[in-house]
Amino acid sequence: MSRSLRGRHLLSIRDLSAQEVRQVLDLAHHLKREHRAGIRHELLAGKAVALLFEKPSLRTRVTFEVGVRQLGGFSLYLAPQDVQLGVREAVPDVARNLSRWVDGIVARVNRHATLEELAQAAGVPVINALSDQEHPCQALGDLLTVEERFGRFAGVRAAWVGDGNNVCHSFLLAAARVGLSVTVATPSGYAPDPAVVADAQAQGRRWGAEVRVVTDPKAAVEGAHVVYTDVWTSMGQEAERDTRLRAFQGFQVNQELLRAADPDAVVLHCLPAHRGEEITDEVLDGPQSLVLDQAENRLHAQKAVLSLVL
Ligand code: CP
Ligand code: NVA
């Protein structure tokens, strides 16, 4: 029997069963169609959502603000300097105070542990808007994008090329739950967290997804239908940039690498991109790129999450 998502936190894709990922995607497709048809759903009528951000954002902030408003609620953006989580005020105190005023907390944090602290003390749902370990809302929008293009997940193969980072973790966990196979190629030392890979492989065995980790980008991309990359230097890792630039040589998604993929392959990138590093302009702006659909679909996926959880 599936539990309701109402009142639950979404810190990791691991918080969702395969059925719950399916439920989010179904509602997201529906809300997207309805929105396009001009039909409004006041699913968050009168509800307040705090957007608590420790790092910069374009897509996540805008899609949450617009999404909450489209559903009849309203949001408050709290910038890093406003709250100073754990500096001006202890994290549990921030959670307890916010819970007296708002119906949900969307948080982008430096350390995943901060989200866990928030969730522990909050009396309202906490939604991860990116941590150093995961970006679950991104992965849900990505699956929506893949399903729109291919109409299915079974038999579709994705390649993740680059860093085994937060976005990679959520994508792997989410893909495995819908039966989308993924091969990750990273330089050694930059592979995804083995615990994430183990969870994805276990889920993959149940739902028909093959999950592999390799160190050869060409081998990962060979025949793939989806080629996904992200920056080599994530927010907070700026001091490692030079080391990373060297370590990731040969992992750029460019026209030559893309030739190894299926001829109808699509290219994903969560954005922002470091153009000329992990991806060339030609590929990012080229006919196979779905990056703007991905960005748009953050809106629809998050509206579904908010409607189910709040
Ligand atoms: N993809 C993504 O989360 O973008 P922002 O950092 O701009 O929110
Ligand atoms: N991996 C990137 C994703 C940004 C949306 C970062 O954490 O900076």
Side-chain angles (χ1 to χ4, degrees):
M1 220 183 75
S2 73
R3 295 182 294 157
S4 159
L5 280 165
R6 192 80 53 214
R8 301 240 308 267
H9 302 300
L10 175 56
L11 307 191
S12 162
I13 292 287
R14 278 187 271 199
D15 295 335
L16 300 176
S17 67
Q19 290 77 8
E20 288 163 350
V21 171
R22 189 63 261 164
Q23 195 184 355
V24 172
L25 294 177
D26 287 343
L27 182 57
H29 284 300
H30 175 73
L31 289 175
K32 181 171 181 176
R33 277 193 303 271
E34 298 276 281
H35 180 70
R36 294 222 159 149
I39 301 166
R40 297 278 176 267
H41 291 281
E42 301 265 310
L43 294 165
L44 295 184
K47 293 203 173 164
V49 180
L51 308 180
L52 185 56
F53 279 49
E54 285 192 300
K55 294 180 183 189
S57 168
L58 172 67
R59 280 147 290 273
T60 307
R61 176 181 173 179
V62 173
T63 51
F64 269 108
E65 290 207 20
V66 170
V68 169
R69 178 62 75 94
Q70 286 179 357
L71 293 169
F74 60 100
S75 58
L76 304 97
Y77 174 70
L78 300 164
Q81 66 274 20
D82 294 333
V83 179
Q84 300 172 44
L85 270 175
V87 178
R88 182 171 182 270
E89 192 158 3
V91 174
D93 287 336
V94 172
R96 289 186 199 107
N97 277 266
L98 283 174
S99 301
R100 293 292 180 109
W101 308 313
V102 302
D103 301 285
I105 301 170
V106 171
R108 169 167 286 199
V109 298
N110 294 316
R111 293 167 45 256
H112 194 80
T114 303
L115 280 177
E116 288 167 349
E117 262 191 287
L118 278 171
Q120 185 113 42
V124 297
V126 175
I127 296 170
N128 181 356
L130 181 145
S131 73
D132 53 345
Q133 285 175 33
E134 275 206 50
H135 198 0
C137 296
Q138 178 72 51
L140 294 165
D142 298 341
L143 291 187
L144 197 63
T145 310
V146 170
E147 196 170 40
E148 270 177 355
R149 170 52 64 109
F150 295 99
R152 63 192 161 85
F153 294 114
V156 179
R157 292 198 298 111
W160 175 278
V161 181
D163 193 11
N165 63 13
N166 46 4
V167 174
C168 174
H169 288 161
S170 292
F171 185 68
L172 270 179
L173 294 165
R177 282 160 171 74
V178 296
L180 169 67
S181 292
V182 188
T183 302
V184 177
T186 74
S188 54
Y190 295 92
D193 178 349
V196 166
V197 175
D199 176 295
Q201 285 174 334
Q203 288 287 327
R205 275 191 292 277
R206 287 182 70 184
W207 309 111
E210 228 186 290
V211 175
R212 295 187 305 143
V213 180
V214 301
T215 52
D216 177 1
K218 186 101 181 282
V221 167
E222 202 74 59
H225 307 101
V226 176
V227 178
Y228 197 160
T229 191
D230 182 17
V231 294
W232 295 337
T233 305
S234 283
M235 291 181 278
Q237 298 174 332
E238 291 76 10
E240 297 171 33
R241 182 159 183 265
D242 291 346
T243 317
R244 285 174 167 269
L245 279 177
R246 281 192 298 277
F248 285 92
Q249 285 316 304
F251 284 78
Q252 185 185 63
V253 174
N254 52 35
Q255 215 51 259
E256 193 199 325
L257 185 67
L258 206 51
R259 267 196 286 278
D262 185 87
D264 295 322
V266 297
V267 173
L268 301 184
H269 191 309
C270 59
L271 304 177
H274 293 163
R275 289 171 175 266
E277 289 185 20
E278 76 279 0
I279 193 163
T280 57
D281 289 340
E282 197 183 10
V283 172
L284 191 67
D285 303 327
Q288 288 169 277
S289 172
L290 288 189
V291 300
L292 293 175
D293 293 293
Q294 260 183 291
E296 179 189 336
N297 283 335
R298 294 288 305 280
L299 174 69
H300 308 294
Q302 289 159 196
K303 283 169 72 177
V305 168
L306 290 164
S307 306
L308 291 165
V309 162
L310 259 54

